[in-house]
Amino acid sequence: MPGNSFGRVFTVTTFGESHGRAVGAIIDGIPPNILLSENDIQTELDRRRPGQSTVSTPRNEKDRVEILSGVFNGITTGTPVFLLIKNEDMDSSEYEAIKHLYRPGHADYTYTAKYGIRDWRGSGRASGRETAARVAAGAVAKKILREEGISIIGYALEIAGVRAMKIDFSQIEANIVRSPDAEKADQMVARIEDVRKKGDSVGGMVEVVVDGCSPGLGEPVFDKLDALLAHAVMSVGAVKAVEIGSGIEAARMRGSSFNDHFFIKDGQVRTKTNNAGGILGGISTGERIVLRAAIRPPASIAVPQTTVSTDGTEETIEIHGRHDPCIVPRVVPVIEAMMAITLADCLLQKKMYC
Amino acid sequence: MPGNSFGRVFTVTTFGESHGRAVGAIIDGIPPNILLSENDIQTELDRRRPGQSTVSTPRNEKDRVEILSGVFNGITTGTPVFLLIKNEDMDSSEYEAIKHLYRPGHADYTYTAKYGIRDWRGSGRASGRETAARVAAGAVAKKILREEGISIIGYALEIAGVRAMKIDFSQIEANIVRSPDAEKADQMVARIEDVRKKGDSVGGMVEVVVDGCSPGLGEPVFDKLDALLAHAVMSVGAVKAVEIGSGIEAARMRGSSFNDHFFIKDGQVRTKTNNAGGILGGISTGERIVLRAAIRPPASIAVPQTTVSTDGTEETIEIHGRHDPCIVPRVVPVIEAMMAITLADCLLQKKMYC
Amino acid sequence: MPGNSFGRVFTVTTFGESHGRAVGAIIDGIPPNILLSENDIQTELDRRRPGQSTVSTPRNEKDRVEILSGVFNGITTGTPVFLLIKNEDMDSSEYEAIKHLYRPGHADYTYTAKYGIRDWRGSGRASGRETAARVAAGAVAKKILREEGISIIGYALEIAGVRAMKIDFSQIEANIVRSPDAEKADQMVARIEDVRKKGDSVGGMVEVVVDGCSPGLGEPVFDKLDALLAHAVMSVGAVKAVEIGSGIEAARMRGSSFNDHFFIKDGQVRTKTNNAGGILGGISTGERIVLRAAIRPPASIAVPQTTVSTDGTEETIEIHGRHDPCIVPRVVPVIEAMMAITLADCLLQKKMYC
Amino acid sequence: MPGNSFGRVFTVTTFGESHGRAVGAIIDGIPPNILLSENDIQTELDRRRPGQSTVSTPRNEKDRVEILSGVFNGITTGTPVFLLIKNEDMDSSEYEAIKHLYRPGHADYTYTAKYGIRDWRGSGRASGRETAARVAAGAVAKKILREEGISIIGYALEIAGVRAMKIDFSQIEANIVRSPDAEKADQMVARIEDVRKKGDSVGGMVEVVVDGCSPGLGEPVFDKLDALLAHAVMSVGAVKAVEIGSGIEAARMRGSSFNDHFFIKDGQVRTKTNNAGGILGGISTGERIVLRAAIRPPASIAVPQTTVSTDGTEETIEIHGRHDPCIVPRVVPVIEAMMAITLADCLLQKKMYC
């Protein structure tokens, strides 16, 4: 499988380019007899959709999803679900002018090196637009997880150096940067606006927590749950680091403070702390799963940059057009989606051994 | 594939428990006509082997590898190479006494939750001993990479808060902590000795650099090279975070400083900086690949900890025996091995499209 | 991967039900820089399409294929190619009346047993309509094979007991049963017409030959080329047996007559006979690959049959509507497609070891 | 995965050459808490073992299996089970003399064409010896199936043109050709003895029946149960054809006689006939699964044959040594094993959707 599929039993295969006719996904391995509607998916797509706020790109894609198979009378049948999202508001003209240049921070050069050809319209397959298909598939995964009592909540922990100081889930969708701290949200927005005016961009940190996971998810050795999650999340283009639980801080802790002590609560084995982030030996403990991802600043900026052309001459490039000055708010549902797909996959695998 | 295989075409499948009769691996997908000897592999195993220094466990395993198939007259034939490492210096007696307790920070509880049974002798399959098979397979991968001019060098960037201030590759194997900074190595050793005396343990950071990678390695979308490396490295038990290139720092940078500008050198497309860590859009650029992993402190400590037993009562546990106070020096070759396996896999996949 | 994908590197994933909104496929692993148009695919679809002759179902599907991704300016880019075929001429009314009955010879009962739900409209996912997506993907595979000088030609070797006595490739597409023997074609048509009038159906044998395969395709042990072809061809619903080379007859031969003797011709190692069917030890020899498949008579017949209903009562069923009295002519391109997909997959895998 | 693994969740990966140091298998995906001993496996290996009777090769391999992992106190733990079978009675001297020749009917030429190197000792990886690992893994699969009430019984339906006229399971292991018809067994033996004296070899048909399979095994579309079984069985070197249910005969039947009518018996949906061979739409019906395989005559014969050498000259070859004149009796447990592995895999996959 050359890279466009993810998952072993709950398997998502995607296709589509930014300025092609559509993006979409086939999901194989969906259990039968689950209620599934286009609206279930649309809700998630709307969270990722361009043009949703003043801090995102003004490209106006409706991102309407159509379910073309696998659902009969509103219920999954166990056959593949195909999700189609047509591209509508495309404008390739800005790309025409710079199609001979390798944009810094983009995949123009590496795709050319690998394939000898690239679809230069809107970054082609390497575009963030490809993640619409992931979010659609993730919405289906979330449905499966919800039936098992598993919830996935993500938010902007930090943007442009401004860090949320309190985590209030009810605030996340109430501000345009998906900050769990309403007060810091305003500062985050201000910073984004500031860099946007300068034609620049900023990054941040996304944190996602998973509650309700029963113990026993994840496979040993190579397919540890944390390894699968790292794979899933690092496959999102803008991610440069993934932390589980205490993450980087674990490197500076002692065993006596890092180890989470077990105790019994309501007849369940629980841990007093959660430095492990809900995973021990690659298998879920039943505690909250905690993952953080570092999001780099978007590569498309109006600031002049030096680069080279496809024929090897050095030039200066300025990238104008409809770009996100900060991708963090829109990447939150993408990371949630990848984690949902991973967990749904593990959940089905676990059932094999019941 | 339930978790004990890694790689799509250069495929490693491992088996074995810490106190079972052996650990080992079948490697499928090795190109034919490569010179391969047991000695090639032994060199790497000796770097991971227990008992190699005063800062590692005194368990004295020779870790002698035997090649039982796939090599004819010293040359690979294209058929699976089987690597066997017998376990010899096992002592399960210490585990007998605590087999009814879930050790904090270990996988005892999660394996029991998942499988309803666990091999309690020396952590069974969840033991770090399992990584001997990875290092053996990684040594074969390194051979393949070396033929293409690719080198992989890892070191302890930081141990117990002491960080290497200079990176001198020639120093790495010259000190027992694998520090690239000889001066800091002494401080690292001192810190480890200190926590060991207290029955405690410490973590650190490993950094690995890959040189000589041609552009074009890695697959798009889900199997980006950085995603595969994150999967590979996070599957090592002690790892809690993985960074590529600027990693976490990328979250605080602006696009104008993060983007690596292209230029031409010796007819090659190069970048002036390398915040991307040698990967753009999931595909290698030809620049140095840089990865860092946060290593948590080992879970087995002599300090008293509270925990619960398999029948649900709370107890205090002290873990004595032959444990590593710091796993960082020994985990360096393990992370190198996982990266080598990943890169060898990508290298073979790239050839399909030539 | 729960069954809707085929191939390891040239990977086809399909979706769609007979009376759903569409069927289609994502093909991952297509090499870049191949000319590919909708017309290349349409030609093959037209060979499979319903309503093409008097001996096939009158359901009138245009089977228009649309390429929605992976092709840029008429050339493949190495990213997934998505093929969409909308369903248009559906009529579920006939199925409404018998939706409570398990049709003999159909998958109604087994899908219900497996999934607890089934899309009863036109056999749902178990319909032969699903093979339109296979033929579309196979057309892409054929393009890749043709570039390597590999051709795949299939025909009706036998229908309703009438066997072709001569194999003239030029005749195959010149008659409506795809017989390579023009004279026998008329008899085959007559037999089909005869059973159709009786409301019954007939089977036959398809033979496919592959020319131009270089030696070295196929993987050892489990993924022998003949094993992969058997998997591919037996996955076509109507197939009940697969033979390679001498096939069943090999069971009655002696080693001295079965073994194909090697000789040298034009500097190439060749064999004087070809009982092996072009494959030795699971790897292609360079000789013609020969495969035969036994095709059962279609299950939908107007003759009264006894069966049971979903609530367990026994009933009599007569299946009227637009059904094929003999599927052999239309299954020829389907089997060719499955073999093309398999061979394209092996061809790409072979390149890894060059 | 380059060909040496089989199964998606119950996954068998094998290694080893005929005259190498050992053959063996890692089985991943074994459910925990199953009683498993070396003796369970040895019983099956003894049925395949060389030297078991006057009609098999006199190579005297004990084929002693050792379980080196995955079993703790006699019970599976859910971790990989590794099975090792050392090679002992090897004699490569006969091969030394003909190592420059491509033996007709063998894989010498194709392995050389594919890999550019081959282990010429006893056919290397292409040897039937490789199937010892399959039988060992199949024994484990049989254990899992037996717990679900599924039995697999194979026999020689036909040898050298002599066909069993009655199927008496109690006779199968009571004669050296594994004929279910005691009377015909003597004729089969006589025919084998006859060709052996002439330095020649003969083939035959193996039939395997599976009882106790519940409805619902198998995946739709590409991984139909019959397709997986065809793959599994055709991957056994000597097999040239695979039939399911009525097999080839289905091509000559009419729908009205081929379709199996449903009825109710003891509250179960059953079919009056079983032309389908227990599988409809690729999913098990609950009826007996019936598969037949055509076995070609062994390639190693003493009769002089013309062939070519590795340097392209034509020569005559006579193959002396310890070869089977008929492989049918020994291939019975191999085909059973492959079917057992396939069914165990499907059984586990089915549980995911419960």
Side-chain angles (χ1 to χ4, degrees), chain B residues 1-2 4 8-9 11 17 21 28 33 66 79 115, chain D residues 1 4 8-9 11 17 21 28 33 66 79 115:
Chain B
M1 308 291 293
N4 296 285
R8 295 183 186 278
V9 293
T11 309
E17 287 87 35
R21 293 174 58 191
D28 200 2
N33 301 305
E66 297 174 76
T79 62
Y115 298 112
Chain D
M1 307 290 293
N4 296 286
R8 296 184 184 276
V9 293
T11 309
E17 287 88 34
R21 292 175 58 190
D28 200 2
N33 301 305
E66 297 175 75
T79 62
Y115 298 112

PDB file of all heavy atoms in Angstrom, chain B residues 1-2 4 8-9 11 17 21 28 33 66 79 115, chain D residues 1 4 8-9 11 17 21 28 33 66 79 115:
ATOM      1  N   MET B   1      -2.005  -8.062  10.586  1.00  0.00           N
ATOM      2  CA  MET B   1      -0.738  -8.254  11.298  1.00  0.00           C
ATOM      3  C   MET B   1      -0.865  -7.651  12.687  1.00  0.00           C
ATOM      4  O   MET B   1      -0.868  -6.437  12.833  1.00  0.00           O
ATOM      5  CB  MET B   1       0.384  -7.550  10.554  1.00  0.00           C
ATOM      6  CG  MET B   1       0.468  -7.916   9.091  1.00  0.00           C
ATOM      7  SD  MET B   1       1.013  -9.613   8.878  1.00  0.00           S
ATOM      8  CE  MET B   1       2.681  -9.497   9.483  1.00  0.00           C
ATOM      9  N   PRO B   2      -0.914  -8.490  13.682  1.00  0.00           N
ATOM     10  CA  PRO B   2      -1.198  -7.953  15.019  1.00  0.00           C
ATOM     11  C   PRO B   2       0.018  -7.384  15.755  1.00  0.00           C
ATOM     12  O   PRO B   2       0.256  -7.732  16.904  1.00  0.00           O
ATOM     13  CB  PRO B   2      -1.802  -9.154  15.750  1.00  0.00           C
ATOM     14  CG  PRO B   2      -1.985 -10.208  14.723  1.00  0.00           C
ATOM     15  CD  PRO B   2      -1.009  -9.909  13.623  1.00  0.00           C
ATOM     16  N   ASN B   4       3.457  -7.377  15.600  1.00  0.00           N
ATOM     17  CA  ASN B   4       4.828  -7.830  15.763  1.00  0.00           C
ATOM     18  C   ASN B   4       5.625  -7.795  14.462  1.00  0.00           C
ATOM     19  O   ASN B   4       6.684  -8.413  14.365  1.00  0.00           O
ATOM     20  CB  ASN B   4       4.840  -9.217  16.405  1.00  0.00           C
ATOM     21  CG  ASN B   4       4.261  -9.188  17.811  1.00  0.00           C
ATOM     22  OD1 ASN B   4       4.911  -8.721  18.737  1.00  0.00           O
ATOM     23  ND2 ASN B   4       3.008  -9.612  17.967  1.00  0.00           N
ATOM     24  N   ARG B   8       6.822  -2.459   5.110  1.00  0.00           N
ATOM     25  CA  ARG B   8       5.938  -2.965   4.068  1.00  0.00           C
ATOM     26  C   ARG B   8       6.661  -3.907   3.122  1.00  0.00           C
ATOM     27  O   ARG B   8       6.113  -4.922   2.714  1.00  0.00           O
ATOM     28  CB  ARG B   8       5.336  -1.816   3.287  1.00  0.00           C
ATOM     29  CG  ARG B   8       4.440  -0.972   4.167  1.00  0.00           C
ATOM     30  CD  ARG B   8       3.767   0.143   3.434  1.00  0.00           C
ATOM     31  NE  ARG B   8       3.046   0.955   4.391  1.00  0.00           N
ATOM     32  CZ  ARG B   8       1.835   0.658   4.856  1.00  0.00           C
ATOM     33  NH1 ARG B   8       1.189  -0.397   4.430  1.00  0.00           N
ATOM     34  NH2 ARG B   8       1.249   1.421   5.756  1.00  0.00           N
ATOM     35  N   VAL B   9       7.878  -3.584   2.763  1.00  0.00           N
ATOM     36  CA  VAL B   9       8.589  -4.469   1.838  1.00  0.00           C
ATOM     37  C   VAL B   9       9.880  -4.997   2.456  1.00  0.00           C
ATOM     38  O   VAL B   9      10.238  -6.141   2.240  1.00  0.00           O
ATOM     39  CB  VAL B   9       8.841  -3.791   0.468  1.00  0.00           C
ATOM     40  CG1 VAL B   9       7.519  -3.561  -0.244  1.00  0.00           C
ATOM     41  CG2 VAL B   9       9.598  -2.501   0.618  1.00  0.00           C
ATOM     42  N   THR B  11      10.525  -6.147   5.643  1.00  0.00           N
ATOM     43  CA  THR B  11       9.574  -6.437   6.708  1.00  0.00           C
ATOM     44  C   THR B  11      10.220  -7.255   7.819  1.00  0.00           C
ATOM     45  O   THR B  11      10.771  -8.328   7.562  1.00  0.00           O
ATOM     46  CB  THR B  11       8.395  -7.234   6.143  1.00  0.00           C
ATOM     47  OG1 THR B  11       7.895  -6.561   4.996  1.00  0.00           O
ATOM     48  CG2 THR B  11       7.290  -7.363   7.162  1.00  0.00           C
ATOM     49  N   GLU B  17      10.282 -13.604  24.477  1.00  0.00           N
ATOM     50  CA  GLU B  17      10.080 -12.975  25.773  1.00  0.00           C
ATOM     51  C   GLU B  17      11.402 -12.870  26.524  1.00  0.00           C
ATOM     52  O   GLU B  17      12.331 -13.637  26.261  1.00  0.00           O
ATOM     53  CB  GLU B  17       9.076 -13.782  26.593  1.00  0.00           C
ATOM     54  CG  GLU B  17       7.648 -13.632  26.102  1.00  0.00           C
ATOM     55  CD  GLU B  17       7.293 -14.624  25.002  1.00  0.00           C
ATOM     56  OE1 GLU B  17       7.803 -15.758  25.061  1.00  0.00           O
ATOM     57  OE2 GLU B  17       6.556 -14.260  24.084  1.00  0.00           O
ATOM     58  N   ARG B  21      12.961 -18.771  25.863  1.00  0.00           N
ATOM     59  CA  ARG B  21      14.154 -19.455  25.398  1.00  0.00           C
ATOM     60  C   ARG B  21      14.993 -18.634  24.429  1.00  0.00           C
ATOM     61  O   ARG B  21      16.197 -18.856  24.301  1.00  0.00           O
ATOM     62  CB  ARG B  21      13.761 -20.800  24.773  1.00  0.00           C
ATOM     63  CG  ARG B  21      13.199 -21.755  25.836  1.00  0.00           C
ATOM     64  CD  ARG B  21      12.674 -23.037  25.248  1.00  0.00           C
ATOM     65  NE  ARG B  21      13.680 -23.762  24.486  1.00  0.00           N
ATOM     66  CZ  ARG B  21      13.407 -24.801  23.700  1.00  0.00           C
ATOM     67  NH1 ARG B  21      12.156 -25.231  23.589  1.00  0.00           N
ATOM     68  NH2 ARG B  21      14.360 -25.414  23.038  1.00  0.00           N
ATOM     69  N   ASP B  28      11.964 -10.321   5.966  1.00  0.00           N
ATOM     70  CA  ASP B  28      11.577 -10.640   4.596  1.00  0.00           C
ATOM     71  C   ASP B  28      11.817  -9.391   3.758  1.00  0.00           C
ATOM     72  O   ASP B  28      11.744  -8.266   4.257  1.00  0.00           O
ATOM     73  CB  ASP B  28      10.092 -11.032   4.562  1.00  0.00           C
ATOM     74  CG  ASP B  28       9.744 -11.835   3.311  1.00  0.00           C
ATOM     75  OD1 ASP B  28      10.640 -12.117   2.504  1.00  0.00           O
ATOM     76  OD2 ASP B  28       8.565 -12.190   3.168  1.00  0.00           O
ATOM     77  N   ASN B  33      22.108 -10.788  -3.036  1.00  0.00           N
ATOM     78  CA  ASN B  33      23.472 -10.423  -3.434  1.00  0.00           C
ATOM     79  C   ASN B  33      24.115  -9.362  -2.551  1.00  0.00           C
ATOM     80  O   ASN B  33      24.963  -8.596  -3.013  1.00  0.00           O
ATOM     81  CB  ASN B  33      23.493  -9.989  -4.905  1.00  0.00           C
ATOM     82  CG  ASN B  33      22.993 -11.105  -5.801  1.00  0.00           C
ATOM     83  OD1 ASN B  33      23.530 -12.214  -5.755  1.00  0.00           O
ATOM     84  ND2 ASN B  33      21.922 -10.864  -6.559  1.00  0.00           N
ATOM     85  N   GLU B  66      22.653 -15.835  15.615  1.00  0.00           N
ATOM     86  CA  GLU B  66      22.874 -16.874  14.602  1.00  0.00           C
ATOM     87  C   GLU B  66      21.970 -16.571  13.406  1.00  0.00           C
ATOM     88  O   GLU B  66      20.786 -16.304  13.576  1.00  0.00           O
ATOM     89  CB  GLU B  66      22.500 -18.256  15.145  1.00  0.00           C
ATOM     90  CG  GLU B  66      23.340 -18.715  16.314  1.00  0.00           C
ATOM     91  CD  GLU B  66      22.793 -20.033  16.887  1.00  0.00           C
ATOM     92  OE1 GLU B  66      23.012 -21.090  16.272  1.00  0.00           O
ATOM     93  OE2 GLU B  66      22.122 -19.976  17.941  1.00  0.00           O
ATOM     94  N   THR B  79      15.744 -14.570  -0.031  1.00  0.00           N
ATOM     95  CA  THR B  79      14.774 -15.289   0.812  1.00  0.00           C
ATOM     96  C   THR B  79      14.902 -14.786   2.252  1.00  0.00           C
ATOM     97  O   THR B  79      15.858 -14.096   2.584  1.00  0.00           O
ATOM     98  CB  THR B  79      15.014 -16.814   0.729  1.00  0.00           C
ATOM     99  OG1 THR B  79      16.313 -17.100   1.237  1.00  0.00           O
ATOM    100  CG2 THR B  79      14.920 -17.290  -0.726  1.00  0.00           C
ATOM    101  N   TYR B 115      -4.952  -9.391  27.513  1.00  0.00           N
ATOM    102  CA  TYR B 115      -4.860 -10.816  27.185  1.00  0.00           C
ATOM    103  C   TYR B 115      -5.428 -11.759  28.248  1.00  0.00           C
ATOM    104  O   TYR B 115      -5.610 -12.949  27.986  1.00  0.00           O
ATOM    105  CB  TYR B 115      -3.392 -11.197  26.931  1.00  0.00           C
ATOM    106  CG  TYR B 115      -2.771 -10.486  25.763  1.00  0.00           C
ATOM    107  CD1 TYR B 115      -1.753  -9.547  25.943  1.00  0.00           C
ATOM    108  CD2 TYR B 115      -3.201 -10.742  24.464  1.00  0.00           C
ATOM    109  CE1 TYR B 115      -1.175  -8.891  24.859  1.00  0.00           C
ATOM    110  CE2 TYR B 115      -2.632 -10.094  23.375  1.00  0.00           C
ATOM    111  CZ  TYR B 115      -1.612  -9.172  23.585  1.00  0.00           C
ATOM    112  OH  TYR B 115      -1.052  -8.527  22.519  1.00  0.00           O
TER     113      TYR B 115
ATOM    114  N   MET D   1       4.936  -6.851   2.174  1.00  0.00           N
ATOM    115  CA  MET D   1       5.352  -8.176   2.633  1.00  0.00           C
ATOM    116  C   MET D   1       5.707  -9.022   1.417  1.00  0.00           C
ATOM    117  O   MET D   1       4.834  -9.416   0.662  1.00  0.00           O
ATOM    118  CB  MET D   1       4.200  -8.856   3.378  1.00  0.00           C
ATOM    119  CG  MET D   1       3.615  -8.016   4.496  1.00  0.00           C
ATOM    120  SD  MET D   1       4.758  -7.864   5.851  1.00  0.00           S
ATOM    121  CE  MET D   1       4.792  -9.554   6.412  1.00  0.00           C
ATOM    122  N   ASN D   4       6.520 -14.123   2.100  1.00  0.00           N
ATOM    123  CA  ASN D   4       6.750 -15.182   3.058  1.00  0.00           C
ATOM    124  C   ASN D   4       5.830 -15.098   4.277  1.00  0.00           C
ATOM    125  O   ASN D   4       6.086 -15.727   5.294  1.00  0.00           O
ATOM    126  CB  ASN D   4       8.233 -15.195   3.462  1.00  0.00           C
ATOM    127  CG  ASN D   4       9.114 -15.537   2.273  1.00  0.00           C
ATOM    128  OD1 ASN D   4       9.175 -16.683   1.837  1.00  0.00           O
ATOM    129  ND2 ASN D   4       9.747 -14.523   1.684  1.00  0.00           N
ATOM    130  N   ARG D   8      -4.100 -12.241   7.549  1.00  0.00           N
ATOM    131  CA  ARG D   8      -4.160 -10.831   7.926  1.00  0.00           C
ATOM    132  C   ARG D   8      -4.088 -10.631   9.435  1.00  0.00           C
ATOM    133  O   ARG D   8      -3.426  -9.719   9.913  1.00  0.00           O
ATOM    134  CB  ARG D   8      -5.454 -10.209   7.401  1.00  0.00           C
ATOM    135  CG  ARG D   8      -5.467 -10.219   5.892  1.00  0.00           C
ATOM    136  CD  ARG D   8      -6.667  -9.539   5.296  1.00  0.00           C
ATOM    137  NE  ARG D   8      -6.612  -9.701   3.868  1.00  0.00           N
ATOM    138  CZ  ARG D   8      -5.916  -8.915   3.051  1.00  0.00           C
ATOM    139  NH1 ARG D   8      -5.237  -7.907   3.531  1.00  0.00           N
ATOM    140  NH2 ARG D   8      -5.904  -9.142   1.750  1.00  0.00           N
ATOM    141  N   VAL D   9      -4.735 -11.493  10.183  1.00  0.00           N
ATOM    142  CA  VAL D   9      -4.677 -11.317  11.638  1.00  0.00           C
ATOM    143  C   VAL D   9      -4.092 -12.549  12.322  1.00  0.00           C
ATOM    144  O   VAL D   9      -3.352 -12.430  13.284  1.00  0.00           O
ATOM    145  CB  VAL D   9      -6.054 -10.940  12.228  1.00  0.00           C
ATOM    146  CG1 VAL D   9      -6.465  -9.552  11.748  1.00  0.00           C
ATOM    147  CG2 VAL D   9      -7.113 -11.941  11.894  1.00  0.00           C
ATOM    148  N   THR D  11      -1.414 -14.537  11.460  1.00  0.00           N
ATOM    149  CA  THR D  11      -0.407 -14.307  10.425  1.00  0.00           C
ATOM    150  C   THR D  11       0.784 -15.230  10.611  1.00  0.00           C
ATOM    151  O   THR D  11       1.402 -15.246  11.672  1.00  0.00           O
ATOM    152  CB  THR D  11       0.078 -12.846  10.503  1.00  0.00           C
ATOM    153  OG1 THR D  11      -1.067 -11.997  10.500  1.00  0.00           O
ATOM    154  CG2 THR D  11       0.949 -12.507   9.318  1.00  0.00           C
ATOM    155  N   GLU D  17      15.606 -22.870   4.306  1.00  0.00           N
ATOM    156  CA  GLU D  17      15.905 -23.595   3.078  1.00  0.00           C
ATOM    157  C   GLU D  17      16.059 -25.089   3.368  1.00  0.00           C
ATOM    158  O   GLU D  17      16.358 -25.482   4.488  1.00  0.00           O
ATOM    159  CB  GLU D  17      17.190 -23.050   2.452  1.00  0.00           C
ATOM    160  CG  GLU D  17      16.999 -21.686   1.818  1.00  0.00           C
ATOM    161  CD  GLU D  17      17.209 -20.540   2.798  1.00  0.00           C
ATOM    162  OE1 GLU D  17      18.055 -20.680   3.696  1.00  0.00           O
ATOM    163  OE2 GLU D  17      16.502 -19.524   2.688  1.00  0.00           O
ATOM    164  N   ARG D  21      20.103 -24.460   7.925  1.00  0.00           N
ATOM    165  CA  ARG D  21      20.203 -24.977   9.282  1.00  0.00           C
ATOM    166  C   ARG D  21      18.841 -25.312   9.880  1.00  0.00           C
ATOM    167  O   ARG D  21      18.746 -26.135  10.788  1.00  0.00           O
ATOM    168  CB  ARG D  21      20.944 -23.974  10.162  1.00  0.00           C
ATOM    169  CG  ARG D  21      22.418 -23.874   9.735  1.00  0.00           C
ATOM    170  CD  ARG D  21      23.184 -22.809  10.483  1.00  0.00           C
ATOM    171  NE  ARG D  21      23.155 -23.030  11.919  1.00  0.00           N
ATOM    172  CZ  ARG D  21      23.596 -22.136  12.817  1.00  0.00           C
ATOM    173  NH1 ARG D  21      24.095 -20.973  12.381  1.00  0.00           N
ATOM    174  NH2 ARG D  21      23.538 -22.374  14.105  1.00  0.00           N
ATOM    175  N   ASP D  28       1.856 -14.813  14.396  1.00  0.00           N
ATOM    176  CA  ASP D  28       1.378 -13.662  15.156  1.00  0.00           C
ATOM    177  C   ASP D  28      -0.151 -13.710  15.116  1.00  0.00           C
ATOM    178  O   ASP D  28      -0.741 -14.200  14.160  1.00  0.00           O
ATOM    179  CB  ASP D  28       1.898 -12.368  14.534  1.00  0.00           C
ATOM    180  CG  ASP D  28       1.857 -11.184  15.500  1.00  0.00           C
ATOM    181  OD1 ASP D  28       1.458 -11.376  16.657  1.00  0.00           O
ATOM    182  OD2 ASP D  28       2.231 -10.083  15.088  1.00  0.00           O
ATOM    183  N   ASN D  33      -4.632 -17.744  25.937  1.00  0.00           N
ATOM    184  CA  ASN D  33      -5.370 -18.700  26.774  1.00  0.00           C
ATOM    185  C   ASN D  33      -5.805 -19.968  26.053  1.00  0.00           C
ATOM    186  O   ASN D  33      -6.810 -20.581  26.406  1.00  0.00           O
ATOM    187  CB  ASN D  33      -6.581 -18.007  27.422  1.00  0.00           C
ATOM    188  CG  ASN D  33      -6.144 -16.843  28.281  1.00  0.00           C
ATOM    189  OD1 ASN D  33      -5.307 -17.023  29.174  1.00  0.00           O
ATOM    190  ND2 ASN D  33      -6.631 -15.651  27.982  1.00  0.00           N
ATOM    191  N   GLU D  66      10.228 -27.232  18.065  1.00  0.00           N
ATOM    192  CA  GLU D  66      10.429 -26.582  19.364  1.00  0.00           C
ATOM    193  C   GLU D  66       9.635 -25.281  19.374  1.00  0.00           C
ATOM    194  O   GLU D  66       9.703 -24.507  18.433  1.00  0.00           O
ATOM    195  CB  GLU D  66      11.907 -26.241  19.574  1.00  0.00           C
ATOM    196  CG  GLU D  66      12.832 -27.436  19.627  1.00  0.00           C
ATOM    197  CD  GLU D  66      14.302 -26.980  19.710  1.00  0.00           C
ATOM    198  OE1 GLU D  66      14.718 -26.528  20.798  1.00  0.00           O
ATOM    199  OE2 GLU D  66      14.993 -27.050  18.678  1.00  0.00           O
ATOM    200  N   THR D  79       1.116 -13.408  22.524  1.00  0.00           N
ATOM    201  CA  THR D  79       2.331 -12.913  21.852  1.00  0.00           C
ATOM    202  C   THR D  79       2.755 -13.940  20.799  1.00  0.00           C
ATOM    203  O   THR D  79       2.259 -15.061  20.780  1.00  0.00           O
ATOM    204  CB  THR D  79       3.452 -12.675  22.894  1.00  0.00           C
ATOM    205  OG1 THR D  79       3.778 -13.914  23.515  1.00  0.00           O
ATOM    206  CG2 THR D  79       2.994 -11.683  23.950  1.00  0.00           C
ATOM    207  N   TYR D 115      16.431 -13.527  -8.767  1.00  0.00           N
ATOM    208  CA  TYR D 115      17.352 -13.059  -7.731  1.00  0.00           C
ATOM    209  C   TYR D 115      18.809 -12.951  -8.182  1.00  0.00           C
ATOM    210  O   TYR D 115      19.631 -12.372  -7.481  1.00  0.00           O
ATOM    211  CB  TYR D 115      17.277 -13.978  -6.511  1.00  0.00           C
ATOM    212  CG  TYR D 115      15.919 -14.009  -5.845  1.00  0.00           C
ATOM    213  CD1 TYR D 115      15.123 -15.156  -5.867  1.00  0.00           C
ATOM    214  CD2 TYR D 115      15.427 -12.882  -5.197  1.00  0.00           C
ATOM    215  CE1 TYR D 115      13.881 -15.194  -5.253  1.00  0.00           C
ATOM    216  CE2 TYR D 115      14.185 -12.904  -4.580  1.00  0.00           C
ATOM    217  CZ  TYR D 115      13.417 -14.063  -4.614  1.00  0.00           C
ATOM    218  OH  TYR D 115      12.191 -14.082  -4.001  1.00  0.00           O
TER     219      TYR D 115
END
